[in-house]
Amino acid sequence: MNVTSNAIIADLEKLRFQYVSELSVYTESLVDGRLLVSGFQDNGITIYELSDLKDKPAFDLVVDGESIYYGWEFAGFVSDEDATGNARGTLTLRNTIKPLLLNITTGCCGFGFFTRSMEIANLSEDATLGLTSMVPFKGCIWNVSDNLADNLRDHTVSPYSVGRFKDLYWSHEGNFDWQDIPLNTGVFFQSTFGMSGHSNPFFILRNNINGGYFVCQMGWSSNWKTAFFADYFNDGRLPMKVNLNFEIMPVTPAPARLIAPGESVQAPVVHFGMSHVDLDTAVQNLHSHLRKSVLRTAGDGLQPVIYNQAGYMQPGYKQPQMSEVGLKREADIAAALGAELLMVDAGWYGNNGQDGADWGNTTGDWHPAEGLPNDLFPVFDYARSKGLKVGLWVEAETAGSKSKLAEDHPDWFLHKYGSKFERVLDLAKPEVKAFVESEIIRLVEKYDLDMFRLDYNSSSNDGGFNRRDGRNENTHWRHVEAVYDIFERVGKRFPNLQLENCASGGGRTDIGIVSRFTTTWVSDWFKMPRTVRILNGMSMALPPEYINRSTGIESAYAGNLDTQLHAIVMGHPTLFGIAPTLENANPAIMKTTRKYIEIYKSFIRTFHRTAKVYHHTPVIPGADGSGWAALEYVSEERSKAVAAVFRLVNAEENAYTIKFKGLKKNASYRVRIEPEGSEFSLGGYSLSREGLEIQLDTALTSQLILLTEEGSP
């Protein structure tokens, strides 16, 4: 039977469940007390029961040191729709070994994508259960046996590869690359800093023999692990076969979470999709799923151009970091450049001194610093008089060593190995969580903020521990729960409030926290050429309008000004340190910056939120980014497009030909190329087949190409 809509087919007699998302079909069965992954199909054709896999559990769960991926009894199945109209089915299982109930919900979200969530309930009336570890989703995505010996050609060919961000460290986010999965050798990736970054629980599996992609990411803002195993079987009697097994999971010391009698906890949500298409379409399907069913918007949904005051107002410059006069100067520059929101960054609070150098040691005291005797009200009033919205930076989950909060509440900090962990507040404690939430709400209401910027500049690594019910419970799970809970409520309370997510740059870029914010500072690194690679890679895991890219003093020392601006307008643009004052501004810098900000607002932003993204150079090699990079965004109706072509470092040729992928072949397009400003018309067929040759004879330069279908508004 061909099934092409989003639907659920539940056979309650055989306890076999099929979830359909357009041409993708996921099948699982309850067999002998185990929920098994029975098969994935990417062409809409459901498999027969006799073709089901029979030995691949769909999850793993260890409670109080005992594995309980088995011993489950059917307790019910219901199907309904979620808030966005997606079909979803909830399978309820009761365990015969432990007093546990599972509600496993699978959503069919369109675009070949699914969501998987799991609620774990303790049915005991008097016993607390300890969650030792869990894998919310695992299974076998492909099994290949047909003519395997010939198709493999030799043992140097890997049938499967995984695409992931290969760097784990600050400032190297988004370094996407493929890695072959060797036969009978496990491969895994993980984070270790107590955050989901500076990598991401995101991967793309590729079938190198039969084709197809499997895209997966998990919403989890602490340590995680993904693992893969290509199980190659050949005993000389049966046909050779190689299965690709995967799993994705949170990682924390045990017990990760104590579950009280009658209590329920939510496992991290997993998003996954499969498709027999090209890589660009697989990524576009992910973006479409995230935009429709996961990501949050506020107000009119347009991303405001941000001017962040942390440029020339840094310690070491002549003017103080934080002063009313200085911040008003920044508002003047922001307005003159066409920015739309003034962000007041770190250092506005606590006893920082005139130069603001102690900003990291005074977090937690969220009251104006001595350099702002009139508070921030005059600054925000002045900015609004210039037509700007206003935002405020707060590192709400920390308290610096010199803060009054740290002095008054030493017990509010993370504790591990018998001592206090500096700066990190323990949101696993209810009173700390309540304080943090109340401070966020107080600041939003006090200043009537248009944007709240959350930062988190600490690495708690394996977390801390709290004594509960006679056991040392790790803090990570409850901390993530607390952050999610806080910003769920803040988002609902202030539906028009923009929320900017930052964690020492790209420390938390997973879909769990990003889904509760409206934009994400994916990295602290803005210098060429690596900033281009960060944008290029992160725009696989996230749609580009959620990816904050910035330029200004210090970051812009390499590469020409046009190139810096080309990079940021392809994401969500932020400016900082463009000039020390409006009177001392370089007219050429101001003119060029204004030009590209206007291009972003009047052209790119008009289709950014629905754009299909084409990665012409998905893998950018080198320590910082070598060769050429090219990104193309095309509007839904294919009447508008923008592409940026960057010459990075160590390019062997002086020219790059971009052959457009998303244009109409039978249409004619008006083409404008910046910075040269030339305009001409070309047919979509020519732009796609012959392309445009971009000639750049020096490194760290670029061209921005704007295309509009002739006859369209």
Side-chain angles (χ1 to χ4, degrees):
M1 177 177 65
N2 289 340
V3 181
T4 57
S5 60
N6 302 330
I8 297 168
I9 305 167
D11 187 331
L12 298 185
E13 181 179 348
K14 295 181 178 178
L15 297 180
R16 187 171 183 265
F17 309 92
Q18 292 193 305
Y19 303 94
V20 182
S21 177
E22 297 185 1
L23 290 176
S24 299
V25 184
Y26 170 56
T27 305
E28 60 188 14
S29 305
L30 186 63
V31 180
D32 297 331
R34 297 179 300 160
L35 184 65
L36 302 180
V37 172
S38 299
F40 292 94
Q41 290 294 110
D42 58 17
N43 57 14
I45 302 173
T46 61
I47 61 175
Y48 289 118
E49 185 179 355
L50 60 86
S51 298
D52 286 354
L53 295 175
K54 299 295 186 183
D55 61 346
K56 304 296 181 184
F59 67 89
D60 197 6
L61 194 60
V62 181
V63 174
D64 290 330
E66 188 172 0
S67 290
I68 49 170
Y69 63 86
Y70 60 94
W72 296 98
E73 293 181 337
F74 177 77
F77 185 88
V78 296
S79 59
D80 60 1
E81 290 187 351
D82 64 17
T84 57
N86 296 324
R88 64 182 178 186
T90 299
L91 172 65
T92 301
L93 302 175
R94 185 185 298 268
N95 194 256
T96 59
I97 303 168
K98 296 279 187 180
L100 285 172
L101 192 76
L102 288 186
N103 285 312
I104 302 173
T105 301
T106 306
C108 306
C109 304
F111 316 104
F113 268 82
F114 305 85
T115 57
R116 189 57 173 264
S117 60
M118 184 183 298
E119 181 187 57
I120 309 167
N122 181 358
L123 299 180
S124 172
E125 296 181 357
D126 54 11
T128 295
L129 300 178
L131 180 61
T132 304
S133 65
M134 77 160 309
V135 180
F137 195 50
K138 60 185 296 189
C140 175
I141 178 62
W142 291 301
N143 57 321
V144 174
S145 60
D146 297 336
N147 301 313
L148 185 61
D150 287 340
N151 290 330
L152 277 178
R153 297 191 299 279
D154 60 63
H155 291 294
T156 66
V157 177
S158 294
Y160 308 114
S161 299
V162 57
R164 82 291 183 222
F165 300 138
K166 67 180 185 179
D167 289 332
L168 299 176
Y169 299 101
W170 177 88
S171 82
H172 286 272
E173 298 86 354
N175 190 4
F176 182 84
D177 202 358
W178 293 102
Q179 177 170 325
D180 288 341
I181 301 172
L183 299 179
N184 292 337
T185 302
V187 173
F188 73 89
F189 310 102
Q190 67 181 61
S191 68
T192 59
F193 296 114
M195 301 180 287
S196 61
H198 294 265
S199 184
N200 192 297
F202 156 81
F203 63 83
I204 302 175
L205 294 174
R206 183 179 67 196
N207 190 321
N208 297 326
I209 300 178
N210 291 338
Y213 292 94
F214 179 80
V215 183
C216 184
Q217 60 179 312
M218 180 174 66
W220 181 249
S221 303
S222 192
N223 293 335
W224 54 268
K225 178 180 177 182
T226 60
F228 313 95
F229 185 73
D231 185 4
Y232 174 65
F233 182 79
N234 180 18
D235 67 355
R237 295 174 297 165
L238 299 174
M240 297 166 58
K241 64 179 180 180
V242 57
N243 298 333
L244 181 59
N245 302 294
F246 72 91
E247 53 186 34
I248 187 166
M249 71 206 80
V251 175
T252 184
R257 180 67 157 81
L258 295 178
I259 310 174
E263 185 183 17
S264 298
V265 299
Q266 293 287 340
V269 178
V270 178
H271 305 256
F272 63 98
M274 67 208 85
S275 51
H276 213 100
V277 292
D278 56 75
L279 178 62
D280 283 319
T281 306
V283 171
Q284 290 162 12
N285 288 340
L286 169 64
H287 291 176
S288 296
H289 160 61
L290 295 178
R291 285 163 168 160
K292 173 184 175 246
S293 301
V294 182
L295 295 171
R296 180 178 180 268
T297 60
D300 59 11
L302 299 178
Q303 298 289 36
V305 178
I306 302 170
Y307 196 93
N308 190 306
Q309 54 78 210
Y312 283 94
M313 294 183 71
Q314 291 277 11
Y317 292 101
K318 290 182 180 179
Q319 61 190 40
Q321 185 191 24
M322 280 297 159
S323 69
E324 183 177 318
V325 172
L327 288 172
K328 287 180 177 179
R329 288 194 192 116
E330 295 292 298
D332 288 335
I333 299 166
L337 290 170
E340 297 163 310
L341 185 144
L342 176 68
M343 175 61 66
V344 176
D345 210 305
W348 63 269
Y349 48 83
N351 186 20
N352 274 308
Q354 277 297 101
D355 65 355
D358 238 7
W359 67 268
N361 290 323
T362 54
T363 59
D365 292 347
W366 304 116
H367 302 280
E370 59 187 50
L372 296 166
N374 299 314
D375 208 318
L376 286 167
F377 294 114
V379 173
F380 287 161
D381 288 344
Y382 184 77
R384 288 182 169 119
S385 75
K386 294 283 184 177
L388 297 167
K389 296 181 179 181
V390 298
L392 191 64
W393 179 100
V394 181
E395 195 178 4
E397 298 156 82
T398 69
S401 60
K402 296 182 180 179
S403 67
K404 189 174 186 301
L405 183 65
E407 179 182 350
D408 292 346
H409 295 285
D411 57 319
W412 280 14
F413 287 87
L414 205 68
H415 281 73
K416 58 196 305 184
Y417 316 136
S419 60
K420 182 177 75 171
F421 191 83
E422 293 295 335
R423 295 194 83 246
V424 181
L425 294 175
D426 185 0
L427 269 67
K429 296 177 178 177
E431 65 273 22
V432 182
K433 174 190 174 186
F435 169 80
V436 168
E437 182 173 352
S438 67
E439 285 293 90
I440 292 169
I441 292 171
R442 179 181 68 81
L443 292 169
V444 172
E445 292 182 335
K446 175 182 177 180
Y447 296 115
D448 191 20
L449 295 176
D450 300 293
M451 179 175 279
F452 181 92
R453 184 175 191 223
L454 178 73
D455 209 342
Y456 187 58
N457 294 301
S458 296
S459 298
S460 63
N461 301 315
D462 56 358
F465 305 90
N466 287 320
R467 197 72 178 165
R468 293 176 185 268
D469 293 329
R471 285 183 274 184
N472 286 326
E473 181 191 54
N474 190 262
T475 58
H476 276 324
W477 194 289
R478 288 186 190 268
H479 189 105
V480 172
E481 286 179 336
V483 172
Y484 289 178
D485 193 35
I486 288 170
F487 283 96
E488 284 281 349
R489 285 201 293 271
V490 168
K492 290 177 181 177
R493 182 166 181 157
F494 306 105
N496 294 320
L497 177 68
Q498 296 275 358
L499 292 169
E500 185 176 28
N501 164 47
C502 177
S504 189
R508 294 192 295 205
T509 59
D510 66 281
I511 206 64
I513 196 163
V514 171
S515 67
R516 292 161 171 89
F517 286 71
T518 58
T519 190
T520 290
W521 192 272
V522 298
S523 178
D524 277 341
W525 194 267
F526 305 111
K527 296 179 183 178
M528 293 289 294
R530 201 189 311 162
T531 183
V532 173
R533 187 170 68 190
I534 291 167
L535 170 67
N536 186 77
M538 291 306 301
S539 59
M540 290 186 170
L542 299 172
E545 69 272 17
Y546 286 84
I547 297 172
N548 197 306
R549 293 283 75 206
S550 186
T551 190
I553 190 170
E554 294 186 25
S555 75
Y557 289 165
N560 70 17
L561 180 62
D562 293 273
T563 300
Q564 295 286 339
L565 292 163
H566 293 170
I568 73 167
V569 298
M570 295 296 280
H572 180 188
T574 293
L575 302 166
F576 67 94
I578 301 298
T581 66
L582 196 55
E583 295 75 19
N584 295 323
N586 183 317
I589 292 176
M590 298 295 286
K591 180 180 179 181
T592 302
T593 305
R594 278 196 301 267
K595 178 179 76 171
Y596 287 111
I597 293 304
E598 180 56 31
I599 286 173
Y600 171 76
K601 292 192 295 186
S602 64
F603 187 76
I604 298 174
R605 192 168 63 180
T606 63
F607 64 93
H608 213 189
R609 278 207 180 275
T610 57
K612 293 185 180 296
V613 179
Y614 296 89
H615 291 87
H616 290 257
T617 51
V619 176
I620 299 177
D624 286 312
S626 298
W628 292 80
L631 274 172
E632 172 190 353
Y633 304 161
V634 182
S635 66
E636 264 191 316
E637 71 285 355
R638 298 191 290 168
S639 62
K640 294 180 181 179
V642 61
V645 178
F646 300 89
R647 178 171 178 164
L648 305 178
V649 299
N650 299 323
E652 295 181 358
E653 305 290 338
N654 288 341
Y656 178 91
T657 299
I658 179 169
K659 296 181 179 180
F660 288 84
K661 298 181 179 183
L663 303 181
K664 299 176 185 176
K665 304 296 190 299
N666 61 347
S668 179
Y669 289 88
R670 191 69 182 166
V671 182
R672 172 181 164 192
I673 299 181
E674 294 291 350
E676 65 185 54
S678 58
E679 294 192 30
F680 51 89
S681 294
L682 272 180
Y685 184 87
S686 176
L687 288 164
S688 302
R689 292 294 184 264
E690 299 172 8
L692 289 178
E693 183 180 83
I694 305 299
Q695 295 188 4
L696 299 169
D697 70 355
T698 189
L700 306 188
T701 53
S702 61
Q703 288 194 341
L704 190 73
I705 306 158
L706 313 174
L707 302 100
T708 306
E709 183 182 2
E710 293 192 321
S712 67

